[in-house]
Amino acid sequence: MSRTPAPSSRVVVIGAGIVGCSLADELTARGWTEVTVLEQGPLPAPGGSTSHAPGLVFQTGPSKTLTEFAAYTVQKFGALEVDGLSCFHQVGGLEIATTEARWADLHRKAGLAASWGVRGELIGPQRCKELWPMLDETALYGGFHTPDDGLARAVLACRAQIARAERRGARFLERHTVTGIEREGGRVTGVTTDRGTFPADHVVSAAGFWGPVIGAMAAVDVPLLPLAHQYATTEPLPELDGINDSRTEASKPILRFQDRDLYFREHHDRLGIGSYAHRPMPVDPFTVAAFDEAPVMPSSLPFTAEDFAPSWQDSIGLLPALGASRVAEGFNGVFSFTPDGMPVLGESRELRGFWLAEAVWVTHSAGVARAVAEWMTDGRPAIDIHECDLYRFEDAQRSPAYIADRGAQNFIEVYDVIHPLQPMEQPRPLRTSPFYPRQQELGAYFLEAGGWERPHWYEANAPLTEGLRLPERDAWSARYWSPIAAAEAKATRERVALYDMTPLRRLEVTGPGALAFLQRMTSNNLAKKPGAVTYTLLLDETGGIRSDLTVARLAPDRFQIGANSGADLDWLLRHAPDDTQVRDITSGTCCIGVWGPLARDLVQPLTRDDFSHQAFGYFRAKQTYLGHVPVTAMRLSYVGELGWELYTTADLGLRLWDTLWEAGRELGVIAAGRSAFNSLRLEKGYRSWGHDMTTEHNPYEAGVGFAVRPAKGEFLGRAALDGRSEETASRRLTCLTLDDPAAVVLGKEPVFVDGTPAGYVTSAAYGYTLGRGIAYAWLPAGAAVPGTAVHIEYFGEKIPATVRQEPLFDPQMERIRR
């Protein structure tokens, strides 16, 4: 992130769709008035996705960030009017279930709504029919009604925001086709069009599905895939005759029939029907016709009736009155999908001043615009947006083939019931650790994250489940889970286990300025002798937690960092001085966690170095040899047991695994997976950045204030933490245990205090050592008191839980420090 420029910065926004218009409005409202918006088509409907969008705004989803974006879109557009007509029509939303699986999912969605503060209610079939009289209620299990959702009048909202931004000094230039991005010294300097050049200190690509075209001009990857989506309109329906006047257009809630990948909205006396049920139809953004050459507009492609035919029959099945009607017209509308279904936001590091605000749907448009405007003017968005960060994707996830495969799959799954652990099926395997062949031999059950194949348990350990008594799980929590995880956790607590930690990002920071740089960038004191390992935080200017790091000082001018994401690398590279080098070494290295009470018995015979507690203390590092393999050994444990993280180069990884495996046979060594790991780390209260804490939280709220050392001197975020402490925190990350030993929750469920939603679960797992479920949740400080009784809503059921003192396991740290 670059230094916040002066308010006089010249900004050129490429694209006057809903995102570009919203961004111009947000920037000018913050005093950045030298804003030029360039659009290749005519205003206010230039022919991109905004011009054809049906305008559905459903706020609730698994992503808290997207929900907040949508909530702001509702709030903002609801306050905008053009010619006395609101830019948001709050008709509400209704999602219906025709299967047991969908009905269960709607209960889960109602929980998400409660977690994120969205009004919603589960209703029965008869109430669904009252809201939508055309429904065949006999086909329904029920529905989820959200009264504050509705229809965004996107073109109207563009008009309103154009007028406001222009009054503040912005200008909107139609019929300007961008032909190039000018740069000098690694910074953007202007935008070239077919009608002249526009100097700029900042350029924002809000070009929608043309984003890859603009990105190519700037030599910046824009990982999105344009796809066509079918939308049809019926003939006039007698059932709607006289119900909606020319201004209201619709009176019933937006209807989603997700079991058949369909949605419905009124257009006066007709119904509009959108379908995701058809084959993926990728579109090459470099070949899309210009506005004047397109039959209708660039984003509106010819309707393929044969693709829509099954959806029409499904529509009739749900709304029998359609049997007397037909499709009057339709089109295949183009819009954007990314590999993970999230927007792509942020400033390019390679070309400073060039920003992306891409892959944004109308639903989230105003919220995204506000976040990007805050980022540009204040240096950071007010809410956590790590899920949308441009640098969240690994290099292996940026190939055109990967973007095409994953983008198309996201289209297919847009209305599917998706489990939080559910991996995409293709392309796999993509990234594998050097231990992959041995893991396959042991029957590893792999899930995927960041392109990596990650073992969650091993079928070879199935015999260890004999005699274990575990509560039965419901179908949802039993997916992507095995009782083998309990056996692996038990073996880790009693003997020793090998964990593949290779997918965790590793950075190397070197050079004469390395220490001073890291001292300035992180919260803890790193000025320790070589061999020290320190847990520390990356903070932003407001004291929010950007990430947590484990930093090992291997030499006076060389540090190895355990980080979380590509955004960490990006952040450090942006700030690194000339005398410091930051390098990602993940792909060339690997790591095995050797943990359990017999870890020393396994490792010590393999080395001539002393691995006793006295000679090799906790949070220390040593470069040594294990057998024939050079390793960097770090005395760390994220499962709460004695052990080491052992790092070596990728070419020696398999030899390291085999060396440890052979030496551990007589000790009963096993390989263990992420499922056991997550259970063990929650028993110890170890945080997971991105789940338990983000930039929205400061260290004292998150329970990691011990990693803040103000006395060491100046560091980024220090000033913002002055006067703050655990005692002053108004909310806290809180440890809960479920009162019923058989109960399980998975994460993101609402937490009720005295019958009122008061927070939400961040991480959850069954604590196999404790014999009950564990959940961490954000709660008001007044409720975060050990002994407080709360309830967690899981699929509509209120599960009793109790606030506990943490850590739950080995609070004296005796097992780790021995």
Side-chain angles (χ1 to χ4, degrees), residues 68 80 205 303 432 571 607 629 654 712 720 751 772 794:
E68 292 186 346
L80 294 175
S205 177
F303 189 62
T432 59
W571 180 254
T607 179
V629 182
L654 199 58
K712 77 166 185 175
V751 181
R772 66 181 60 247
Y794 181 73

Side-chain angles (χ1 to χ4, degrees), residues 341-363:
M342 300 293 287
V344 179
L345 312 178
E347 182 191 16
S348 168
R349 184 180 68 253
E350 294 79 12
L351 182 59
R352 300 294 181 93
F354 183 81
W355 296 77
L356 296 181
E358 297 292 9
V360 182
W361 295 5
V362 171
T363 304

Side-chain angles (χ1 to χ4, degrees), residues 99-102 104-105 108 409 413 415-425 428 445-447 456-457 459 471-485 674-675 678 744-747 764-766 768 794-795:
T99 63
E100 288 187 13
R102 182 68 60 182
D105 189 57
R108 184 172 69 99
Q409 189 64 26
E413 296 178 349
Y415 276 175
D416 286 2
V417 176
I418 302 293
H419 193 278
L421 292 176
Q422 183 172 329
M424 283 206 158
E425 295 302 321
R428 292 181 63 193
Y445 185 88
F446 293 99
L447 297 180
H456 276 242
W457 64 83
E459 290 296 331
E472 288 191 15
R473 291 200 169 209
D474 64 278
W476 186 252
S477 65
R479 290 183 67 184
Y480 307 107
W481 174 85
S482 168
I484 294 172
R674 296 291 300 179
S675 188
N678 196 48
V744 173
V745 299
L746 297 183
Y766 195 82
Y768 300 112
Y794 181 73
F795 285 91

Side-chain angles (χ1 to χ4, degrees), residues 4-5 11 23 27 32 202 204 355 371-379:
T4 304
V11 180
L23 180 57
L27 286 171
W32 282 29
H202 293 269
V204 184
W355 296 77
V372 173
E374 290 169 341
W375 206 343
M376 295 175 71
T377 61
D378 301 334

